[in-house]
Amino acid sequence: MSGNEEERGPVDLVIVGSVGIDDVATPAESRKDLLGGSASYACAAASFFARTGMVGIVGSDFPGDYLSLYRSLGIDTGGLETVEGSTFRWAGVYEDNMIERRTISTELNVFETFSPELPAAYRSAPYLLLGNISPGLQLHVLDQAADVRFTAADTMNLWIDTDRDALMNVISRVDMLTLNDGEARMLTGKWGLRDCARVILDLGPEYVVIKKGEHGAMLFSKDEVFIVPAYPVENVIDPTGAGDMFAGATLGVLAAAGTGAGLAEVKKALFQGAVVASFGVEDFSLEGLRNLAPAQIHERLDALRRMTSMG
Amino acid sequence: MSGNEEERGPVDLVIVGSVGIDDVATPAESRKDLLGGSASYACAAASFFARTGMVGIVGSDFPGDYLSLYRSLGIDTGGLETVEGSTFRWAGVYEDNMIERRTISTELNVFETFSPELPAAYRSAPYLLLGNISPGLQLHVLDQAADVRFTAADTMNLWIDTDRDALMNVISRVDMLTLNDGEARMLTGKWGLRDCARVILDLGPEYVVIKKGEHGAMLFSKDEVFIVPAYPVENVIDPTGAGDMFAGATLGVLAAAGTGAGLAEVKKALFQGAVVASFGVEDFSLEGLRNLAPAQIHERLDALRRMTSMG
């Protein structure tokens, strides 16, 4: 794989996360053996904008077609480790509202022994997204990324419950934390999202992004609040990975611009994140992104800007 | 009362709705004998902007202090009828999330015989808001408002269930319908809000406003979608009447401008509606509006614009 890397040059953005095979049931349809995982969704979204390297682990059963899909999406898989055994699997069912979901089963498999190592070519990447994996693994990656200029981390309720100290450590070392509204409340013990954000900002990050699913997201910095709208999708087919695509595209835009991550840049990037995620939820797995043309992203971005413009 | 009316001149906006005495319990606090009802909230919000006349009914037990409060808020009470008996009463309890609520009791009392009649001075008012009362009563008011230029109606799940035909008739005769997301889904049998809006627009209104509580609202016309943000309140004390304040202020702004209700005007008015409602939920009953200064509204409006601006 290192030959491949060298051909393609260094990456601008490294994304660490899970790679999995998902069974997803929605009220309308059930699908089995889908490509999933936080790294898959985030890298696919980011690679529309920036040269993105994936750090993850798969088993020897991981379908070659999925590796091909990563590459056709432009993802650098130089940091994707393949080991003997089965790939991580997740199965879930969405309720009628397409928001709440029940996990039917989780098989960690090769993920259980995952210790993410950044290939040499990734260690100087200026942007880093720590997808939703255990805070211990996120810290291990942070220790290897000495030259990183901007790091974002995502998390979930599980780690708030089971590994709070390590998570607090992660939060203190990143520039941006993304999490959903319920998780923000759980982490801080506050109800109002501005209160939640204040507590998290005090832990260290420059930005907190609180995600609200179909209702968009809110960006908080010490001095500002920014309301990120969601693009109103006609028909949500599969919301799995929406938050990962949102974060991935956001970091991709920042990494591609390379002009730093001031508030104005972050706002623009979050709009792009919302748009890419809106395409992603219009089909299962990565299907909504696979044939997506940049012109479609621009068109929907313009539409979203009109929907939020007084003019 | 008619003497009072003549002194104050004709009204720009007529609001018909319920006037009630509420018992409200939130996780933090319980309050009894509060001034409530859709007409109270909507008129209080509208009267910051336009000369607003209230059409409603109260019993002989209605506190004089509440009448004084209406007048101190600048509401014209020329259409508020007082009859022998008890005022409408409602009691409700909010869940921990301050969104879902349970109705503990409803006593219609004098509301049971309510037949809203517009005073002569109200019949030529150019703007009309049919607050949340039965669609039969809303139709009765529409029949009296021959010269109205712009009518908005609000509704609720109860009427969708029990009086659908009359409600459909109301919808076909108004310029704007406001309802919440759950009600839009219930009314149309669609899930996606754009689909819901399309069905409702086909019934006749030029605008549909779908309210999403703390997540703001969406405005739909035949050709456009506009995302109305909610102002992120630090601490919601009592969300009762939020939708009524939102609609009341919106209509008040339109009536005050008197420049018609094109899309640009409606967008601006909805922003003001969101801001006034945000003050309203920061205290029980009308307390959040009672001492509110126009400068505070402008300040929060500027803040909300900044929160949605890319600049």
Side-chain angles (χ1 to χ4, degrees), chain B residues 112-225:
Chain B
E112 207 151 6
T113 59
F114 183 39
S115 175
E117 304 302 328
L118 301 196
Y122 286 18
R123 289 180 187 240
S124 54
Y127 291 80
L128 173 64
L129 171 57
L130 303 167
N132 173 29
I133 52 175
S134 83
L137 296 184
Q138 291 178 324
L139 287 172
H140 182 64
V141 174
L142 274 173
D143 288 338
Q144 299 168 59
D147 294 336
V148 70
R149 270 169 36 208
F150 188 87
T151 303
D154 191 35
T155 193
M156 72 183 290
N157 48 9
L158 175 66
W159 315 120
I160 299 172
D161 247 357
T162 62
D163 209 358
R164 178 179 278 266
D165 289 350
L167 177 58
M168 289 299 189
N169 198 348
V170 170
I171 295 173
S172 75
R173 289 177 62 182
V174 300
D175 302 287
M176 176 188 280
L177 181 72
T178 69
L179 74 181
N180 73 32
D181 45 3
E183 291 157 358
R185 287 169 176 145
M186 187 178 167
L187 179 68
T188 63
K190 304 282 181 188
W191 183 264
L193 298 184
R194 297 178 84 160
D195 280 342
C196 295
R198 217 170 274 127
V199 171
I200 299 168
L201 289 169
D202 279 345
L203 298 171
E206 189 176 351
Y207 302 112
V208 174
V209 178
I210 300 183
K211 299 174 287 182
K212 307 193 295 173
E214 64 166 314
H215 304 299
M218 296 183 71
L219 165 70
F220 298 90
S221 70
K222 281 264 186 281
D223 304 314
E224 285 216 53
V225 179

Side-chain angles (χ1 to χ4, degrees), chain A residues 194 198 226-227 232 234 307, chain B residues 194 198 227 232 234 307:
Chain A
R194 296 178 85 162
R198 217 170 275 127
F226 180 63
I227 297 172
E234 295 274 347
M307 287 179 196
Chain B
R194 297 178 84 160
R198 217 170 274 127
I227 298 172
E234 295 275 346
M307 287 179 196

